[in-house]
Amino acid sequence: GILACALWSFGLCLGAVLCLQKLNFLRVSAKEEYIGLNISEHGTAATIEDVYSVMRHHVKTGDLKRRVNIDPFTDVGRVGQWYNQVIVALEKAVATNEAIIQTAVDGILTLSSNDLIIQSANAATHRLFGQADEALINQPIHHLLTPGTQLSPQQLTVIANAREPET
């Protein structure tokens, strides 16, 4: 009796599955299979490539406004969530540093390391050099030296790399 019920149930289910398979009800389309079931079935798109894409954007542009789309139910989504939190903390640190630099009473210039071109200047540089900070941007540092002073690029590099002696 039990064996007959088992064979009947198994046979009936096997027949139903084979019929459904013949009618293609058990497979997704080739397109859905290619893009992935997370996207086609659930509408989630949190893949590691999405995280890499946002990271590449941050590196190439320096613009930190873009965030990783997260799905909190996947490992990649949790990584993306943590990465977004790191970016928020970085934005706060950059804003704090920018506020310190812009409100400092001392003139602060930032230079490119290879050719000593002025990259940024705070408001206090106007008092030091008599030029608007915007006018200093993209100018070589030697333009700020007194007339008649000629320094070689090597000497400027030494000046740029000079450090205070340790006590």
Side-chain angles (χ1 to χ4, degrees):
I2 293 176
L3 185 58
C5 285
L7 287 174
W8 172 254
S9 298
F10 177 77
L12 188 62
C13 289
L14 181 63
V17 167
L18 291 174
C19 286
L20 289 173
Q21 186 177 6
K22 283 282 188 199
L23 297 172
N24 277 336
F25 286 128
L26 295 181
R27 296 215 33 112
V28 296
S29 70
K31 179 182 176 184
E32 289 175 320
E33 191 171 353
Y34 178 76
I35 65 173
L37 293 179
N38 273 355
I39 296 170
S40 65
E41 295 282 324
H42 307 294
T44 61
T47 66
I48 197 68
E49 188 56 41
D50 295 334
V51 177
Y52 292 156
S53 172
V54 172
M55 288 178 172
R56 278 191 298 273
H57 173 78
H58 289 164
V59 169
K60 286 181 181 178
T61 66
D63 177 19
L64 302 177
K65 290 180 180 64
R66 183 187 271 183
R67 296 292 188 263
V68 176
N69 293 327
I70 60 167
D71 176 8
F73 304 111
T74 66
D75 290 340
V76 173
R78 290 194 302 262
V79 169
Q81 185 177 11
W82 280 107
Y83 182 75
N84 288 343
Q85 289 177 7
V86 167
I87 294 300
V88 168
L90 178 61
E91 285 176 325
K92 287 179 184 176
V94 167
T96 299
N97 286 342
E98 188 66 26
I100 290 169
I101 289 170
Q102 290 304 318
T103 59
V105 294
D106 295 327
I108 300 173
L109 298 173
T110 57
L111 308 172
S112 60
S113 60
N114 54 348
D115 54 6
L116 301 177
I117 301 294
I118 298 170
Q119 300 296 307
S120 67
N122 70 345
T125 57
H126 175 69
R127 289 192 309 273
L128 289 173
F129 302 113
Q131 297 181 37
D133 48 326
E134 296 88 18
L136 296 172
I137 306 300
N138 295 322
Q139 298 296 320
I141 188 70
H142 66 80
H143 283 285
L144 296 178
L145 300 174
T146 57
T149 305
Q150 293 294 323
L151 295 177
S152 70
Q154 293 81 10
Q155 289 171 313
L156 289 171
T157 302
V158 169
I159 292 168
N161 293 328
R163 301 192 189 284
E164 293 288 324
E166 293 184 22
T167 57

